[in-house]
Every structure is written in structure tokens, then in C-alpha cells.
Amino acid sequence: MMSAISIQPRKVDFDVSSVPRHWNGGDPVVTRFFDALSVHFPEGERFFIQSVRHFQDQVTDQRLREDIRHFIRQEGQHGIVHDRFNDVMEAQGIDVDQITRNLRRFIRTTQKYMPEKYQLAMTAAFEHFTATLGEAMLKDETDMFRDADPVMRAMFLWHGVEEVEHKAVAYDVYRTAAGGGYLTRASALVVAMLMVHLVVGPVFVNMLRLDGAMRRPTVVLRGLNRLYGRRGILTRMLPEFVAWFRPGFHPWETGMPEKVAAWLKEYGEHGDPMRASAAVYETEPVSEAA
């Protein structure tokens, strides 16, 4: 069940130099949730690329081999863009270098003791999380970035759309070239989410502490409710997210969401992620991105 979507690497740039500290509607919790993810993306993307490359030569399907090449280029570009935003967070007082060193050490340990096949299963699981998040970014009911800074909204939408675009690549490599089965796949998502909470969670809390948000419990509780509450951003993702545990699941069961397709169409017409974001959100573009 492979996608008919052609994966398109895109070289983009975003001027994040003037992004406000709490760029997501002034909400420190929701902002720092995405910041805590973002700061880990560059090293995480490199791990994903390496995991897929371990099995690249064993892929016989020409279409999948082409998808792997485009997947690697997309993930590489994601790392470059988020590295630039990491410089902004470093200027805010966040110890990005220490966070990166900790993650790099964690990844090296994982690669030393975890079989390559399981690393690939974990990559497929992480890709399921990011693709589900990418699809949720453009759902009206989650509305993650309606009040966000236009540049950050455009950056995360571009990243999210590309995660949707290549959401089945690692999965298909795992299933075909690595011969992966259900139990390993199911356990990999559990382990991956535990890792997210163990690695990203403390960074998220430290960012809030640095901002002084931890001294404002009402603000923290309101933000956490927006993320994890009954109608929260992450809670609304659960049906699509837990579909991973269904035997016979494939990432392309969800197809291409309408607004993701709209972003792709808009970007395809002029190659500007700022304009594509503004068109999908029906707002005026602030500036163009190269």
C-alpha cells in the first residue's frame, strides 16, 4: 500500500531573527512545547536518516529507492532550518549546545546497543508521530497555529506537510527490506514515546522555568489543558495515533488531508512557504521566504 504522492525536496529559508519569545499566541506552554521538540529535530533527523540508510541497499523496489533519496533530502533540510531556529533559542538563554550533546550521547548509546532493525522500527514510529502531528496542524478543530507568529507558523507547516508527504518511507523500508513484523513495530512506538517524555520532557520543563512560567501555575495549567485536555491538541490526535497498533495498519490509510493537499498545491504554484501558509490560513502573507 504505497503512496501515489511524489515526494518533493524543497530548499527553504525562514527569517526567524525577529520571532517573539512566546510566538504561539503569547502562550509560554504551547510555545515551549513546540520549541522543545524543535531543539531536538536536527539530531533526531540525522538518526532517522542513518536508520533508513542501514537498509537502503536492500531495497529492490525502484519507487521506494527514489522515495528514500527524497526522504533523506527532506530530513536534511529540516535539520538545517531548525538549527537556525536553535540559534534564536540560544540567544534566549537556552543551553542548546548542552541539549544537543545530551541527545547525541543518547542516540550513540541507542545505536550501540539497539539492533539496526529496531532502530528502523523506532524511526518509523517517530515518523508516525510527526506525520500525525503534521496532519493535525491543519485541522480546524486542533488549530495549533491560528494565533502563532506567521514565520513560525509557516516553518512548522512546511515541516509538518513534508512529514505527511514522506510518512510511509521508513515504514515501507522496515516492512520490506528489513522484514519487520507487528510486535516489533508496536513495541517501537511505545519505546519511542517513552523516549520523547524522557528526553524532551525535562527540556520542556526547563524552558518554562527559564521563562518564569513555573511561578504562574494558572498559566501552566491553562497551557497544559490546551495540549492534553479533553479537547486538547494532542488528545485530538489519539484516534489516528493509536491506529498504529492495529494489525495491517499502513500510514497511507489516512490519505492526504485536504488542507495538506491545499498547501502542496499553493506552494507548487510559487515556491513560497510563507504564501502557502497564508493561503491555507486565509491571511495576508507578511513576507516571502526564499
Side-chain angles (χ1 to χ4, degrees):
M1 185 179 177
M2 297 179 70
S3 165
I5 300 296
S6 178
I7 300 172
Q8 299 293 327
R10 301 169 183 87
K11 188 174 182 179
V12 299
D13 189 26
F14 299 92
D15 182 5
V16 294
S17 59
S18 300
V19 169
R21 190 180 191 95
H22 297 147
W23 52 264
N24 201 329
D27 188 327
V29 177
V30 178
T31 297
R32 291 312 194 183
F33 170 78
F34 285 104
D35 285 351
L37 290 176
S38 178
V39 76
H40 292 92
F41 280 155
E43 289 299 321
E45 306 284 16
R46 294 179 187 109
F47 170 75
F48 300 160
I49 290 171
Q50 291 165 3
S51 298
V52 170
R53 274 182 170 157
H54 285 313
F55 294 89
Q56 186 174 11
D57 291 341
Q58 300 173 41
V59 174
T60 58
D61 182 88
Q62 190 57 41
R63 170 62 187 276
L64 183 53
R65 290 179 68 86
E66 187 72 12
D67 285 348
I68 290 169
R69 285 193 288 272
H70 293 326
F71 164 84
I72 289 172
R73 288 178 63 191
Q74 283 189 339
E75 295 290 60
Q77 183 66 18
H78 296 170
I80 291 169
V81 168
H82 285 276
D83 259 332
R84 290 170 183 161
F85 183 58
N86 282 355
D87 292 339
V88 173
M89 288 191 281
E90 184 80 43
Q92 294 173 354
I94 295 167
D95 194 346
V96 172
D97 287 342
Q98 184 61 53
I99 294 169
T100 300
R101 284 194 297 271
N102 291 344
L103 180 58
R104 196 175 290 141
R105 189 181 307 116
F106 188 87
I107 289 173
R108 281 201 300 266
T109 302
T110 298
Q111 291 174 322
K112 182 177 180 180
Y113 294 106
M114 188 176 286
E116 290 178 353
K117 182 176 178 178
Y118 204 84
Q119 293 176 41
L120 180 61
M122 294 252 318
T123 293
F126 278 119
E127 289 291 307
H128 175 62
F129 169 69
T130 54
T132 304
L133 185 63
E135 292 177 355
M137 284 177 186
L138 285 164
K139 286 184 177 179
D140 292 335
E141 56 267 30
T142 47
D143 204 13
M144 295 184 197
F145 299 114
R146 173 65 62 183
D147 299 320
D149 176 85
V151 174
M152 294 303 293
R153 180 171 63 206
M155 186 180 85
F156 272 97
L157 287 190
W158 156 76
H159 188 161
V161 166
E162 291 198 343
E163 292 297 326
V164 175
E165 200 173 34
H166 68 231
K167 63 182 175 179
V169 174
Y171 181 96
D172 285 336
V173 174
Y174 167 76
R175 186 189 60 174
T176 58
Y182 172 77
L183 291 178
T184 298
R185 169 169 68 82
S187 69
L189 186 62
V190 175
V191 174
M193 291 304 99
L194 285 173
M195 285 186 173
V196 167
H197 285 84
L198 288 171
V199 175
V200 179
V203 173
F204 175 43
V205 172
N206 285 335
M207 286 180 174
L208 291 176
R209 186 175 291 116
L210 179 67
D211 291 349
M214 299 301 284
R215 296 192 296 271
R216 296 181 289 163
T218 303
V219 171
V220 173
L221 288 174
R222 185 169 61 242
L224 290 176
N225 182 64
R226 190 178 168 201
L227 290 171
Y228 295 100
R230 187 171 63 87
R231 300 178 64 81
I233 290 170
L234 301 179
T235 308
R236 287 177 178 270
M237 291 169 45
L238 279 176
E240 292 81 10
F241 183 71
V242 299
W244 176 267
F245 296 107
R246 188 176 64 251
F249 165 84
H250 190 275
W252 277 109
E253 288 178 4
T254 54
M256 179 63 71
E258 181 181 351
K259 285 193 173 182
V260 175
W263 188 100
L264 289 169
K265 180 178 181 296
E266 189 70 28
Y267 181 90
E269 292 178 357
H270 44 65
D272 184 355
M274 292 293 292
R275 289 176 60 186
S277 171
V280 170
Y281 269 85
E282 299 179 346
T283 60
E284 290 296 323
V286 174
S287 62
E288 293 189 352

